[in-house]
Structure formats: structure tokens, C-alpha cells
Amino acid sequence: GGTFLGPPMDSKGGEKKSGYVGWEYDHGHIAMTYTALATLATLGDDLSRIDKQSILEGIKGLQRDDGSFQCISVGSEHDMRFLYCACAISSMLHNWSAINIPAATSYITSCKSYDGAFALIPGQEGHGGSTFCAVASLKLMGQLEHVLIRDRTWFWSLVRWCVARQVKGMQGRPNKNEDTCYSYWIGGALSLLLQANASFENNSCNSNNNDGEQQSVSDHLLDLPSLKEYVLSCQTDMGGFSKTFGAAPDL
């Protein structure tokens, strides 16, 4: 098994037919911790049975000097996905002691692409998934207005980039095919940006006696009927939705 799943084990931690002997103590994975907590929260669990302090100590040990997070403690890839997982976990546990917020914020800004979007790591191309992770992380840390909304040039560049990703459905990067998942990633990032911008503009108008910036964001930046039509066209006869029209369903 890869680090994304952990080693294969039977229920008793013994030897499987493949000859693999499972480990009694396996390392945690930040993405699996995030999905486990999110699943419990969705099911209405109050998380009272969770060893929160151990989770927070584990998360703290995964943050690197550049502010990013690796996914496991023994050395691994590190990028925007895992920084978002750390922020989401901290938010669900209502405890931010495990994250160096200034360092995490600095890492996010270092991943800005030339077109205003966010890459997984510094110097790469902007991408819909990493852009959502960056914007959502800034929102959860309370840094979105400070970093993005007050920088009007960057803000409008990112909004423009998100809107330009619509073909009929949404694409994750320029010149790529549509994919149903980016309806969530791009749509979610755009929603967070517009909500934060509306709050910022309202506060600016109130504090400046309406002398501040009055440009508002339209509620109709995307062609929603076409987007809905594309997503529904990816529904399969066997149930579920595929990533593209005609493909097999994908969780």
C-alpha cells in the first residue's frame, strides 16, 4: 500500500495471504485525519471521543519551515492540499495551536501564479484544486481579507481566472477539458471570494460614508444553467456521476 492508504492489514494486524505482515502501530496521515473528522461531523458526532490533543500534536509536527505541511511524519510530498487539511482539522477541533499561521500564510502567497491563481507549490501553474485549498485556508485562518481582498488587483485577477475556467462545465486549468469536480473547486473558491468581497465593500462603504470603492461583484458571473446542464449530463445509467461525459462514475 502507498502512503495515501497505509499498509494493508487484516483486522488482527496479522499476516495476509499476500505474505505481508502488518504493523501494529502505523503512522497517521493528514488527509485521512481530515476525512475521518469531516465524516464524523457530517454524521452528527460531537467528536468527544477523539484524542484531540494527540491529533494537534501530530499536525504541528507536520508543518515545515516554509509553512507548508507534509502528509505523514516520516517524510513525504508537501503542498497546498495538506495545508488545507491542517486548517480544516484545526477549524473542526476549534484549536489553532498546531499551526504557525504567519508561516502558513506566507507559503500560500508564495504559490501565487502569474495569472493570480494558486499552484500546489511555488513556481508551478495555477490550478482549480489548489486555488480552492489556498482560498479556503486563508478564510479559515482569518487571513483572506488581509491577503487577497485588500489587494484589489490580485483579487480581480483571481476572480477573472475563476470565471474564465467555464467552458460549459468547469476546467481546472486553461486549455484543459471540463471536469465535474471543478464545479466544486472553482465554484467554491469563487463563492468564498465573493462573500468576503461583499463584506469588505460593505464595511468600506460604512466607514467611508460611501466614498470608498463602490464596484460590486455580480451574482451572475457564471452561466449557471449551462453548468448545471453539463453536470447533469455526466450522470450515468448505473448511478453516480462521472468526471466527464460518457465516463464511468467516480466517487
Side-chain angles (χ1 to χ4, degrees):
T3 58
F4 54 90
L5 291 177
M9 298 177 64
D10 65 19
S11 60
K12 298 180 180 179
E15 184 175 342
K16 299 191 71 172
K17 293 181 179 179
S18 63
Y20 178 86
V21 178
W23 298 347
E24 183 178 358
Y25 299 108
D26 190 13
H27 50 247
H29 190 294
I30 195 170
M32 304 309 142
T33 302
Y34 159 64
T35 54
L37 291 175
T39 300
L40 288 172
T42 301
L43 294 172
D45 191 90
D46 63 3
L47 305 183
S48 61
R49 295 170 292 174
I50 299 298
D51 186 350
K52 299 179 182 179
Q53 189 57 40
S54 292
I55 290 176
L56 292 168
E57 290 175 1
I59 296 300
K60 186 174 184 178
L62 296 178
Q63 188 167 22
R64 298 166 60 89
D65 291 341
D66 64 359
S68 67
F69 282 80
Q70 57 194 50
C71 61
I72 56 177
S73 59
V74 293
S76 70
E77 56 190 335
H78 50 95
D79 56 51
M80 195 70 73
R81 298 171 298 172
F82 307 127
L83 193 155
Y84 167 70
C85 288
C87 290
I89 291 167
S90 297
S91 179
M92 286 187 281
L93 296 183
H94 305 290
N95 189 322
W96 288 87
S97 63
I99 296 182
N100 181 334
I101 292 180
T105 302
S106 177
Y107 180 79
I108 291 173
T109 59
S110 74
C111 293
K112 176 185 177 183
S113 181
Y114 74 94
D115 51 14
F118 290 94
L120 280 173
I121 62 176
Q124 284 193 345
E125 180 183 13
H127 185 276
S130 51
T131 293
F132 171 83
C133 289
V135 173
S137 296
L138 289 172
K139 172 67 175 178
L140 290 171
M141 292 189 294
Q143 300 297 307
L144 183 56
E145 179 177 317
H146 173 71
V147 172
L148 257 173
I149 307 304
R150 292 180 181 274
D151 187 334
R152 305 309 286 167
T153 300
W154 188 1
F155 168 76
W156 287 111
S157 293
L158 182 52
V159 169
R160 185 181 303 110
W161 184 89
C162 289
V163 172
R165 299 286 65 75
Q166 182 168 21
V167 182
K168 182 176 182 181
M170 307 295 291
Q171 59 184 189
R173 295 177 285 162
N175 301 315
K176 293 293 184 178
N177 293 330
E178 305 149 291
D179 186 322
T180 52
C181 75
Y182 295 112
S183 302
Y184 175 83
W185 300 122
I186 301 291
L190 193 56
S191 178
L192 290 171
L193 288 168
L194 301 190
Q195 290 175 32
N197 183 70
S199 177
F200 172 77
E201 288 190 339
N202 288 336
N203 292 335
S204 296
C205 290
N206 292 334
S207 62
N208 296 326
N209 296 319
N210 296 327
D211 291 330
E213 183 180 3
Q214 294 296 308
Q215 186 175 16
S216 61
V217 181
S218 170
D219 292 332
H220 305 288
L221 292 176
L222 299 177
D223 182 350
L224 297 183
S226 293
L227 180 56
K228 182 185 294 185
E229 182 181 350
Y230 175 78
V231 172
L232 289 174
S233 73
C234 294
Q235 187 172 201
T236 70
D237 293 337
M238 65 185 76
F241 290 81
S242 60
K243 61 182 298 182
T244 58
F245 179 75
D250 186 335
L251 289 175

